[in-house]
Structures are given as structure tokens and as C-alpha cells.
Amino acid sequence: NKIIIEDKDNNCMYINKKYIIKGHVKQKFINEELVDSMTRVFNKTINELYEQTPPKKHKNLDVLIKCIPYINRNLNVICSLDEVNETDISRIHPISMAELSEMLGMGYKHGTKLSNILFSIKLNGVNLVGVFKTGIGESRRELIKINPILFYKGNSEEEYKKLIGDFGVKPNRRP
């Protein structure tokens, strides 16, 4: 039942085939609801990320993969499972690093460690995780966002372009 499988003989890690399907998903599934709940994982980006990450840090990449179920399909922010389809950002409860650490099985007290891991992961110098602040005063909130060049649950190319812009990536260009 492991999501991440480490192949020490070939010096690589891969995602269990129970959870990931390569190729055009709609041809492989009849259930449209299931298709709409899937996350796009970009192979080329994952391969580049793996190659650019020092071998000692490869284990840190599984933390990113474990975040997939908690990515909101419209905004690419980390949220609770019952908010992954929410379209109104004001209705999404911001998840702190400590809470995310608990959700990922690392323990609530390891929020700082998780923060250090996530913010250290970059592709060609571009952050793959960011914290974005919205509002002021009592309505101020901080949202953890995953760069959609890595994972994207939505179906809108226009939204995708807006989301990558949050990370300083121009549309139609990869970092």
C-alpha cells in the first residue's frame, strides 16, 4: 500500500501504479468523476527535479508527492480533504506547516522541519512550494501553494497560466 516505492537496485523512486496512470486518462477510465478528481503529474518536470536533487535529498521529494491529496483543484493550495473542490478562496481554511506536517504523518511539532524541506525543493532555481498571504488585519491569511508546473488538478489552461505566474514562471515557458 506504499505510495512511494524506492528501487535501490536502480537508484530511483517511483509512484505505485495503483495511484498513477501514465498517458491519456479519459481513455482508461469510464467514470468521469474519477477523471475529474485526478492530479496531473508532469513526468518531464519530475525527472528534471529528481536529476537536480542531490541523492541525499531524494527522500525529501516524497514529501511533495504526499501532498497531492491535499491540493485544491482550483487554486493549487494545500487544504483539508473536504475543501479540495472549493472554488471560493475565502472558504478554504489555511493549513499551517505544523498542521500539514501532522497530516503527512510527520507529527505536529515538525512544522519547521517540513517548511525547510518544502522550501528547499527547487527546479532550475524556481520554488515548487510557496506561502502566499491574502487580506489584511484580521482577515489576513497565509496559504501554502504548490507550483502547478509540478502538480495540477484543474482543467483550465487559463487558470494554470495564472497559477504558474504566482511563482514567477511565464506561460509557455518552463523554469
Side-chain angles (χ1 to χ4, degrees):
N1 244 3
K2 291 179 80 177
I3 295 174
I4 307 297
I5 298 172
E6 187 171 5
D7 182 348
K8 292 184 180 183
D9 295 336
N10 294 311
N11 193 28
C12 65
M13 295 185 330
Y14 60 93
I15 302 172
N16 190 327
K17 289 180 182 174
K18 283 192 205 175
Y19 304 100
I20 294 290
I21 293 172
K22 187 174 179 177
H24 191 72
V25 176
K26 290 191 181 203
Q27 292 176 344
K28 297 182 180 178
F29 285 101
I30 296 170
N31 183 343
E32 289 296 318
E33 190 174 308
L34 179 58
V35 170
D36 289 342
S37 70
M38 300 190 100
T39 302
R40 288 166 184 78
V41 178
F42 299 103
N43 273 356
K44 188 173 181 181
T45 304
I46 293 288
N47 289 338
E48 287 178 30
L49 180 60
Y50 187 81
E51 289 170 7
Q52 290 181 23
T53 303
K56 284 183 173 181
K57 304 272 185 178
H58 282 169
K59 282 275 190 196
N60 291 346
L61 300 180
D62 85 351
V63 174
L64 272 177
I65 294 167
K66 287 179 182 176
C67 290
I68 291 174
Y70 305 104
I71 299 173
N72 175 281
R73 72 175 292 103
N74 302 294
L75 304 164
N76 252 50
V77 297
I78 299 294
C79 60
S80 65
L81 291 174
D82 59 334
E83 297 172 336
V84 294
N85 291 315
E86 181 59 57
T87 57
D88 181 355
I89 195 165
S90 68
R91 297 183 68 188
I92 296 175
H93 167 72
I95 301 293
S96 70
M97 282 293 177
E99 289 169 314
L100 180 57
S101 179
E102 179 75 18
M103 291 160 61
L104 298 179
M106 297 173 66
Y108 191 83
K109 293 183 178 185
H110 294 285
T112 301
K113 179 181 178 181
L114 176 62
S115 180
N116 290 337
I117 289 170
L118 291 176
F119 295 138
S120 72
I121 301 172
K122 297 176 191 259
L123 178 64
N124 297 325
V126 174
N127 288 352
L128 295 178
V129 177
V131 172
F132 294 81
K133 298 174 184 178
T134 64
I136 54 173
E138 288 182 28
S139 65
R140 184 181 175 129
R141 300 163 4 114
E142 292 186 355
L143 299 163
I144 302 167
K145 189 179 278 192
I146 303 295
N147 191 326
I149 64 166
L150 184 64
F151 306 130
Y152 181 58
K153 284 188 173 184
N155 289 317
S156 167
E157 188 173 342
E158 184 178 312
E159 284 302 312
Y160 174 80
K161 288 177 181 178
K162 286 180 191 174
L163 292 169
I164 64 171
D166 291 343
F167 289 87
V169 178
K170 293 181 181 176
N172 303 324
R173 298 189 111 208
R174 295 189 67 242

